[in-house]
Amino acid sequence: MSRSTLTHPVDGRFGAFGGQYVPETLMSALRELEDMWHEAKADPQFQLELAGHRRAFVGRPTPLYAAGRLSEHFGGAHIHLKREDLCHTGAHKLNNAVGQALLAVRMGKKRVIAETGAGQHGVATATVSARFGLDCTVYMGTEDMRRQSMNVRRMKLLGAEVVEVKSGSKTLKDATTEAIRDWVTNVRTTHYIIGSVVGPHPYPEMVRDLQRVIGDEARDQYLSLDGKLPDVVVACVGGGSNAIGMFTAFLDDRDVVLIGVEAAGKGIRTGEHAASLVGGRPGVLHGSYSYVLQDGDGQILPTHSISAGLDYPGVGPEHSFLRDIERVEYVAVTDKEALAAFKLCTRLEGIMPALEPSHAIHHAGVIARELGPGGRILVCLSGRGDKDMDSVDGG
Amino acid sequence: MVADAGRAQGALPIKTKLANALKSKGGDLKLVAYIMAGHPSAKRSIDVGKRLAASGIAAIEIGIPHSDPLADGPVIQRAGQAALQHGMTVAGALEVAAGVAKEGVPVVLMTYINPVLAYDPRKFAAEASQAGVAGVIVPDLPIEEAEPVSGWLRSASLDTVFMVAPTTQPDRIATICSHSSGFVYCVTVTGITGVRKDLPAGMTEMFAEVKKHTSLPVAAGFGISRQEHMKALRGHVDAAVVGSAIVDEIDRAGDGVALVRELLKACR
């Protein structure tokens, strides 16, 4: 299958997945957004501006780092980390937020809203709002405000209003539902900066386009080492934006194995997890058809993960498609395993990963032991772990 | 569910029971009451539904609770959460609908798409029809995503009601009207369900535009709760849907009948 058939959604769908399951009130805004995004994407001036902000504001390109001591620890396979933790504000989320803020300005929208789980997307949105002079409101669940309190303080300092969401499980799902309700009400003046490759079309495609810089850079950087590609590329998957950003560049490299790592929480069998692709079935959540954790009656289930950024019952529709065509393999890693990987990476490399990519690092270790010396593994280190101090101490 | 928004749907039955019940006669405004199935319990929602059905309304909307109701405000969201906590299911909501439908007033189910998909849309359509349901409204199913679900609903002789919003572009209105059966639902406000003091001034232009494209009755909903709202709507639309205000009464252990009677005074 060629790149074009994989990456261009038809009628807003990746295979059977995606679509626009939203109230009629939003349909004209989605149509406008789709038109504006395609126009901006094709506009050299917009691309030039975006490239400038990526260079001077986000801090791109981010380095590719040879994790020598982790490699040694896991039996000798070569492990490289794509350092998205070195992006300004500490995670890959800013890649998307900068692009969508430029688009909001282009559309003449003065107010932006966002949902956030770990707080990284909220911080990224608050940051670009400060940078571009936009009013910013961020929806965040009570439970996440507790475990990511530092990011709440950062958002407030950046001038954003943080709205506490007390409904449902008080995490990312409920924050997203509240943000969509805000958008339904204020759609004429407001742009909704969704933080992942989820939501109604065109969001999954647009956020993918803005995040693919991760994989485009990493593939070039990896090739420049010795002219060869990695055997395996690993990234964590909540909604799945860092993973799609990384995988897109490698989709046509049929020999490169792509693995998405979901949060198994306390274990898939306990039901306390957030692994939509491993443990869910297709349904509609937040405007698109994709794998969802739901009960037999179509009610969305509460999720659990030690990592707030993966604690989400849905996943981007393109991941569902890549799963079903078996181009990407999806696995799940527990809280305990992710915590151990967090500590290992911190001690061995002097790099403190966020709990989200710690899931990917754990699985990279599993693969490294299978491949042995000479194996080649690329991991997306999607963000840094300062925000997770409280969770790690508690764990 | 491939987009087929442009497909002509000339064979739709216009004169359904629902359409007849909601069509304004002699300039009066019909009233549609909304309740949430299972709020506060299955038994009580049937009782309340029956009492409302006997209070002079033209149709009753019964909501199926959903964990993530994107189009609903806090009152209906809370009612849905309470219903789910008390064990309400899609099958249970169909039983509530069957109980209320016995009174003879047309019953319209309001449900988000995921419970329907999870239940199996064909089974849902067949059982809703068997329960005596007249039509279905799915607020997160725009016309682009309507098929194949709305086809299955139609095959079971259920009306499928689509919505027009204040943000709907003029070129979509005709297409939405051609997809709709039973009635066309005009969302009065840019936003979610819930009581408002005033309705937007520009809404009558939207109603007039919709009327140009359909002979179906046109109903207005969202934010409607007062006699003044009824007066503002009368003559412009065939019917008004009152939701959150009634659910709020039920929250306070009432049944909304007194509110309905008061509102009906302003409908003629």
Side-chain angles (χ1 to χ4, degrees):
Chain A
M1 198 173 286
S2 77
R3 170 167 296 171
S4 58
T5 53
L6 280 177
T7 58
H8 286 296
V10 178
D11 289 331
R13 283 177 184 267
F14 302 93
F17 300 103
Q20 296 179 313
Y21 297 89
V22 295
E24 171 63 24
T25 305
L26 293 181
M27 291 304 287
S28 59
L30 290 175
R31 191 196 276 187
E32 182 196 5
L33 187 61
E34 184 180 4
D35 291 347
M36 291 298 276
W37 172 242
H38 288 146
E39 188 190 293
K41 209 172 125 177
D43 177 359
Q45 190 57 41
F46 180 87
Q47 291 297 343
L48 204 66
E49 210 179 327
L50 181 60
H53 290 299
R54 279 177 173 164
R55 214 166 31 242
F57 191 63
V58 182
R60 304 206 71 90
T62 58
L64 185 72
Y65 170 82
R69 297 190 70 208
L70 268 182
S71 300
E72 196 182 331
H73 178 87
F74 288 125
H78 302 286
I79 298 176
H80 282 82
L81 305 176
K82 176 60 173 168
R83 298 290 308 275
E84 292 301 297
D85 61 315
L86 293 178
C87 287
H88 177 41
T89 73
H92 72 291
K93 293 294 185 188
L94 196 60
N95 300 328
N96 170 44
V98 162
Q100 288 202 49
L102 282 176
L103 198 62
V105 171
R106 194 180 169 103
M107 290 190 294
K109 303 265 170 104
K110 304 265 190 249
R111 177 176 181 261
V112 296
I113 57 173
E115 82 296 337
T116 199
Q120 290 301 117
H121 175 57
V123 168
T125 305
T127 298
V128 295
S129 298
R131 169 68 185 76
F132 295 100
L134 302 165
D135 284 338
C136 177
T137 301
V138 178
Y139 290 88
M140 190 169 189
T142 307
E143 168 66 12
D144 290 336
M145 287 179 76
R146 182 190 63 74
R147 55 181 167 174
Q148 304 285 347
S149 58
M150 186 181 78
N151 276 341
V152 176
R153 297 209 299 276
R154 291 168 78 192
M155 285 184 268
K156 287 179 178 169
L157 281 171
L158 287 159
E161 184 194 351
V162 181
V163 178
E164 181 179 353
V165 178
K166 297 173 185 169
S167 55
S169 57
K170 306 177 177 60
T171 58
L172 181 55
K173 175 197 71 131
D174 310 283
T176 307
T177 301
E178 277 311 311
I180 294 174
R181 277 205 279 252
D182 178 314
W183 201 34
V184 172
T185 306
N186 300 301
V187 60
R188 292 176 201 271
T189 60
T190 299
H191 173 61
Y192 178 18
I193 303 189
I194 291 187
S196 191
V197 285
V198 300
H201 176 71
Y203 280 103
E205 177 193 3
M206 177 172 70
V207 177
R208 190 267 323 271
D209 291 345
L210 289 168
Q211 290 291 5
R212 66 169 296 163
V213 66
I214 301 171
D216 289 342
E217 282 178 13
R219 191 173 180 280
D220 285 348
Q221 289 166 325
Y222 205 93
L223 279 173
S224 73
L225 298 174
D226 61 0
K228 291 189 209 153
L229 289 169
D231 299 322
V232 182
V233 179
V234 187
C236 65
V237 177
S241 68
N242 88 89
I244 283 286
M246 182 60 118
F247 293 162
T248 299
F250 294 95
L251 286 178
D252 285 346
D253 301 319
R254 305 303 294 183
D255 293 335
V256 178
V257 173
L258 305 175
I259 304 178
V261 184
E262 295 193 303
K266 295 179 180 170
I268 298 292
R269 281 186 193 166
T270 66
E272 291 188 60
H273 63 85
S276 327
L277 291 161
V278 172
R281 59 195 166 80
V284 169
L285 173 64
H286 296 146
S288 66
Y289 184 69
S290 192
Y291 278 80
V292 177
L293 295 173
Q294 54 183 321
D295 69 13
D297 233 23
Q299 308 299 345
I300 309 307
L301 287 171
T303 52
H304 167 80
S305 169
I306 190 172
S307 135
L310 303 185
D311 202 353
Y312 182 68
V315 67
E318 191 171 3
H319 282 293
S320 294
F321 175 63
L322 294 171
R323 174 199 189 274
D324 278 11
I325 63 165
E326 297 182 349
R327 177 62 189 97
V328 180
E329 182 191 339
Y330 293 89
V331 299
V333 160
T334 65
D335 288 351
K336 217 180 257 182
E337 291 167 333
L339 260 176
F342 173 98
K343 288 174 180 165
L344 201 64
C345 186
T346 303
R347 288 289 181 86
L348 291 181
E349 297 293 348
I351 294 172
M352 196 178 289
L355 283 171
E356 290 80 7
S358 296
H359 289 71
I361 293 168
H362 169 83
H363 194 70
V366 173
I367 299 292
R369 291 200 189 282
E370 283 172 17
L371 294 179
R376 302 161 65 91
I377 302 168
L378 170 62
V379 182
C380 186
L381 185 64
S382 57
R384 69 180 188 223
D386 315 39
K387 69 183 177 59
D388 294 317
M389 286 301 92
D390 291 349
S391 304
V392 170
D393 289 345
Chain B
M1 277 157 261
V2 176
D4 74 332
R7 200 168 76 185
Q9 312 233 337
L12 284 179
I14 303 290
K15 294 289 179 195
T16 60
K17 181 184 172 192
L18 186 56
N20 281 326
L22 290 191
K23 196 78 183 170
S24 164
K25 285 154 194 106
D28 69 338
L29 181 70
K30 305 289 184 186
L31 197 65
V32 180
Y34 171 99
I35 59 169
M36 173 67 79
H39 171 245
S41 69
K43 186 176 172 302
R44 236 179 87 68
S45 55
I46 295 175
D47 290 346
V48 168
K50 284 179 170 175
R51 261 180 270 160
L52 284 168
S55 69
I57 58 171
I60 186 159
E61 246 184 62
I62 299 181
I64 299 179
H66 184 44
S67 52
D68 292 79
L70 292 187
D72 283 306
V75 171
I76 290 177
Q77 182 187 19
R78 271 202 308 275
Q81 284 188 345
L84 289 174
Q85 269 159 20
H86 297 151
M88 184 43 62
T89 58
V90 174
L94 289 169
E95 281 172 30
V96 170
V100 176
K102 282 187 194 129
E103 296 298 302
V105 165
V107 170
V108 182
L109 287 173
M110 173 104 157
T111 176
Y112 290 89
I113 187 64
N114 202 47
V116 175
L117 295 179
Y119 197 73
D120 177 348
R122 273 168 283 203
K123 185 173 161 223
F124 177 84
E127 291 180 13
S129 179
Q130 206 150 33
V133 168
V136 181
I137 307 173
V138 187
D140 58 348
L141 197 70
I143 48 173
E144 284 80 356
E145 308 293 356
E147 297 303 334
V149 173
S150 71
W152 291 328
L153 294 170
R154 275 197 306 275
S155 306
S157 305
L158 294 165
D159 285 329
T160 52
V161 178
F162 288 92
M163 293 173 149
V164 173
T167 51
T168 301
Q169 300 294 324
D171 61 336
R172 281 175 69 83
I173 291 180
T175 319
I176 292 171
C177 288
S178 74
H179 275 68
S180 226
S181 55
F183 65 97
V184 176
Y185 194 128
C186 283
V187 178
T188 54
V189 297
T190 305
I192 52 182
T193 60
V195 171
R196 267 92 168 165
K197 187 167 171 288
D198 299 307
L199 296 178
M203 66 181 182
T204 51
E205 288 158 33
M206 169 176 59
F207 302 147
E209 187 63 29
V210 171
K211 288 246 161 203
K212 272 193 230 164
H213 297 284
T214 185
S215 58
L216 289 171
V218 174
F222 287 37
I224 300 167
S225 61
R226 299 161 169 239
Q227 284 195 333
E228 305 92 86
H229 297 160
M230 300 293 135
K231 287 174 190 155
L233 291 168
R234 200 177 62 202
H236 297 286
V237 288
D238 297 274
V241 184
V242 180
S244 296
I246 290 172
V247 172
D248 197 42
E249 292 278 314
I250 297 169
D251 262 338
R252 299 161 201 266
D255 57 13
V257 170
L259 173 66
V260 164
R261 294 221 167 103
E262 190 195 310
L263 294 177
L264 280 170
K265 284 181 200 160
C267 289
R268 306 194 174 90

